[in-house]
Amino acid sequence: MAAAEGTTGRVTRRRVHTRANLLRAAFSVFAAKGFGHVSIEEVCEAAGYSRGAFYSNFSSLDELFFALYRERADLIAEQVSGALALDGPDLDVPAAVDRVTDVLLLDRDWLLVKTDFLVHAARHPDVARSLLEHRARLRRAIADRLGRAQGHTALPAVLGDTDGAAHAVVAAYDGVTTQLLLDRDLEHARSRLKQLLTALLTDGSGTPEHTKH
């Protein structure tokens, strides 16, 4: 019995390792070629596994793609939550914006994969529902942090409430990252997002960082 349990443990660890390698390889291939232009064989070749290894972890390329998106989206939501949690109750908006901007804008490959997934989800309602839930999770993390700062940090009344402010933050991020994908100007994108988020979350009296036009 002990030997069987030990074997099962080794198989489980090996499967976890194989799955992680497939996801890592798929991320690189999707970022380079785009979802819809990648085959299972290409993912297997990049990971160094057979089709059998693929099918022991995923039933389809769609399933792998969603697992990849979920893994990255969860990580970013956690990073954003962590960045927003570093201040005390008196939220330091400029410092928090700096931290969040650094988390959100460092990985252009992720933006490529995320955009592919958005287009895919737009054509598949069941996938779209899952994507909406992940986006809602990110908004909830932002709204929760802004809510805990209420009474210490005032939000512009035009946003309505913390949920409205969180929607505005995500919308600003979506717009700036779309431009980033086209012009590849990371420095300008980071600067522009800092401007937009600071303007959204304060009364606008701060001095904006200089950016090129």
Side-chain angles (χ1 to χ4, degrees), residues 69 72-73 76-77 79-80 100-112 114-115 135 138-139 142 165-181 186 189-190 192-194 196-197 200:
Y69 178 86
R72 296 282 174 146
I76 287 177
Q79 289 173 330
V80 169
V100 170
T101 300
D102 286 343
V103 168
L104 290 176
L105 279 179
L106 289 179
D107 191 349
R108 186 174 180 274
D109 282 350
W110 160 246
L111 297 177
L112 287 168
K114 182 173 75 74
T115 301
R135 287 172 65 84
L138 180 59
R139 289 197 305 270
I142 296 170
H167 273 82
V169 167
V170 174
Y173 167 66
D174 286 342
V176 169
T177 53
T178 297
Q179 183 68 25
L180 171 61
L181 284 173
L186 178 60
R190 180 179 288 113
R192 179 61 65 191
L193 186 59
K194 287 179 181 179
L196 287 173
L197 295 186
L200 280 170

Side-chain angles (χ1 to χ4, degrees), residues 2-18:
E5 289 176 351
T7 300
T8 300
R10 287 195 297 274
V11 170
T12 300
R13 286 194 295 272
R14 184 164 63 246
R15 183 169 183 177
V16 168
H17 182 69
T18 299

Side-chain angles (χ1 to χ4, degrees), residues 90-171:
D90 187 10
L91 181 65
D92 183 341
V93 171
V97 165
D98 282 348
R99 292 194 298 269
V100 170
T101 300
D102 286 343
V103 168
L104 290 176
L105 279 179
L106 289 179
D107 191 349
R108 186 174 180 274
D109 282 350
W110 160 246
L111 297 177
L112 287 168
V113 173
K114 182 173 75 74
T115 301
D116 272 347
F117 191 77
L118 175 64
V119 173
H120 178 65
R123 294 190 173 96
H124 299 83
D126 54 334
V127 180
R129 284 191 292 271
S130 296
L131 177 57
L132 286 170
E133 173 52 35
H134 280 282
R135 287 172 65 84
R137 178 184 172 190
L138 180 59
R139 289 197 305 270
R140 286 194 298 269
I142 296 170
D144 177 67
R145 182 62 190 92
L146 295 174
R148 286 185 283 116
Q150 282 188 320
H152 302 272
T153 303
L155 293 172
V158 70
L159 295 177
D161 56 17
T162 55
D163 187 57
H167 273 82
V169 167
V170 174

Side-chain angles (χ1 to χ4, degrees), residues 26-43:
F27 179 81
S28 299
V29 176
F30 286 142
K33 301 187 68 174
F35 186 74
H37 300 280
V38 173
S39 67
I40 290 175
E41 289 76 10
E42 287 174 299
V43 173

